[in-house]
Structure formats: C-alpha cells, structure tokens
Amino acid sequence: MTVTLTDIARHAGVSLATASRAFGEPERLAPATLRRVHEAAAELGYESTQTPSGEKTIAIVFPDVASPVYAAQLKGIQSQAWQGRHATVVFDSDEDLRREREQIERARAFDGMLLCSPRLPADEVVALAGTTPFVVLNRIIEDAHCVVMDTEQGPRQAVEHLVALGHRHIAYASGPAHSWADIRRGGTIARACEDLGVRMTRLSHQAASIQGGRAAAATVVASGATAVIAYNDLIALGIEAGVADLGLRCPDDLSIIGNDDIDLASVTRPGLTTVRLAIGRCGALGVELLTRAMAGARPDGVVDLDSQLIVRGSTAPPRTPGH
C-alpha cells in the first residue's frame, strides 16, 4: 500500500502541513521536527518522489486563471500531480457563479476535483460535486477535505504593524463579493482594529485586480484613512497607482499593505508590505488530500497553512499634520 504524507504526519505526531513542508520547504522547520518527520518517513518506507498507484485525471476549477495567485497554486498542483503521473484539466469560472456551477457539473465526470476558492454557497458546492471525490482549497466547507491559507495571523500582524507605526484609522479594500477569504480577512482586520482601539473603514467590493485597486483609490483617500490593507497584492498595487494619479505618494501620504506576496510585490518601488501565503504548498497539499479521497478516505479536519507579514517600503508612520 502506498504511504502518504498523511501517514507520515500521524506517525511523526505532526500536522499534515508540517510533514509536507519537511519535503518541500525543509528550511522552515526546526531541526528536531525535520529529523522526526524524516525518521517517520524512513520507518514507513516513504519516498517523496514515489508515485501513487493508479493514474487519475483531476479537474481543477479556478475563479480566475489570470490571477498570479492561482497561477502559483496551479504550479503547486501540477508539480504534485506529476509525481503521481496524474493528468489535470483546468476550468476557469471567471468569477461568474453560473459558469462555476456549470463547470463543477462538468468536472465531476473526472476522477476527482480540486475546487479552488469556490464562490457558490457551501451546500450547493457539495450537491454539485455529488459522489465525485473533491478537495476545497482556500475555503472551509463542513465535512469536506479542505486546505486553507491563514486568514487570521497575517492580517492581524498587518494591523499591529500599522498601529505600531502610529496609524489610528485603517481602511480595508475588499475583494470579490463572494470570496470566503475576503470575508475572513475583513473580519480579522475589524476585530484587530477594535482590540487595539483604532478606527477601521471597510470599503466596497472590487475585482481582485490592479484595475480593481485603481477603482478603489479615490474611495480610500476620501475615507480619511492613513493606511489601507488590501484583499490582495494586485488591489494594493492598483491603489498605489490610483493615489499617485491623485497626486499622493506611498508611503508618505498613505501606507499600503497587500496579501499574497506575489513576485511583483518585491520588485515595485517602494516594495509592497504584504502578507506572505503558502500558495504553492496549498495546491500541492490539495493533490495529496485528493489522492486519499479518491482512495476512499473520509475528511479528517482542515489543513491550515500559516502566513507571515513581510515588511517592505510601502508602510511608514503617518504624516504629521502640517508637514
């Protein structure tokens, strides 16, 4: 019988995310933890490049394949699927609920499905999937295999960072209206602002793109906030461009924080302060769980991947009145 990462995790007494990181990102683990995972793998006869028995065809449903986040997630999925010699078929719903519904119906004809940030109501997702094994990425659906990227630790760190710089009014630039991650991030930011005694303004939903950020820029400025946390990096970069068009500068007039840490975030000037997410690992773990689901395993909890605030040049103390 094929040994999976889940078997390794249980044998070593660690989470599935930690076991996966031992083979994909070993530098992020403490030496003792890494050694325990590798010893467990050796005892069970696991090799990170071994192929699961039986090639399968996996359908992947994305809300927007043009997004660099989903491109990175797809890369993680493809890498893990290749190790098992599984074929993949990609669907793009283009943030359209009707299209997502039709694509899930089509996807269930394959051996298994990865539903990446589905926008439909949870009960409808489950009903549409029917008896086809599926895993949900970046959203929690009860009684389903789920892998999520943290929506609490990183956003709270973002608020704490801004408050430490002296900001007392923070805006949140929302993403797509049906995004589970948007609801969770916005809620975390609101609670953190309340806990720390600062004002929070939640702005209207925008497309998760640079143009969506540009559209939000004037509203950010009109809110009077001295800092803004955006749903993702693309919206953050769009806000930066939009406020520049209005004659303002980042971070002198407005501090900006994104979410995701896409490659572009580190090469812009100023570099974008953002919350780094384990995007590729999320995709790879999704394939691992789907392999188990296709073998008949039942869901045994949510895999939650951590996040971390990466501070760059787009945040600074608010401008002192008169300066």
Side-chain angles (χ1 to χ4, degrees), residues 133-206:
F134 71 98
V135 172
V136 180
L137 303 185
N138 210 31
R139 179 178 174 181
I140 296 175
I141 292 181
E142 188 175 355
D143 296 327
H145 295 274
C146 303
V147 183
V148 298
M149 295 181 284
D150 174 64
T151 57
E152 296 186 9
Q153 179 182 347
R156 177 168 284 275
Q157 288 176 350
V159 174
E160 292 171 347
H161 170 64
L162 292 172
V163 172
L165 290 173
H167 294 276
R168 294 296 177 266
H169 183 186
I170 299 170
Y172 174 62
S174 300
H178 300 285
S179 167
W180 176 88
D182 178 69
I183 295 171
R184 295 287 291 256
R185 288 173 190 162
T188 296
I189 292 166
R191 289 190 297 273
C193 286
E194 183 178 0
D195 292 343
L196 296 171
V198 297
R199 180 181 174 190
M200 184 265 204
T201 298
R202 184 160 187 161
L203 307 178
S204 59
H205 294 286
Q206 298 290 347

Side-chain angles (χ1 to χ4, degrees), residues 214-222 239-249 253:
R214 280 184 173 273
T219 307
V220 173
V221 174
I239 290 173
E240 182 179 352
V243 298
D245 292 341
L246 297 172
L248 302 177
R249 297 180 60 188
D253 301 298

Side-chain angles (χ1 to χ4, degrees), residues 91-107:
F91 293 89
D92 177 19
S93 71
D94 198 27
E95 295 287 359
D96 184 309
L97 295 183
R98 184 180 65 178
R99 189 165 168 177
E100 180 178 280
R101 186 178 296 112
E102 293 176 354
Q103 289 180 342
I104 294 175
E105 289 177 338
R106 292 174 61 191

Side-chain angles (χ1 to χ4, degrees), residues 255-277:
S255 286
I256 302 175
I257 296 180
N259 263 282
D260 297 331
D261 195 26
I262 61 175
D263 289 343
L264 189 59
S266 65
V267 298
T268 57
R269 291 293 178 267
L272 181 65
T273 297
T274 185
V275 175
R276 176 176 293 167
L277 302 176

Side-chain angles (χ1 to χ4, degrees), residues 58-77:
I58 299 170
I60 313 161
V61 182
F62 288 110
D64 181 7
V65 294
S67 166
V69 172
Y70 296 121
Q73 198 166 69
L74 177 59
K75 190 172 182 64
I77 291 169

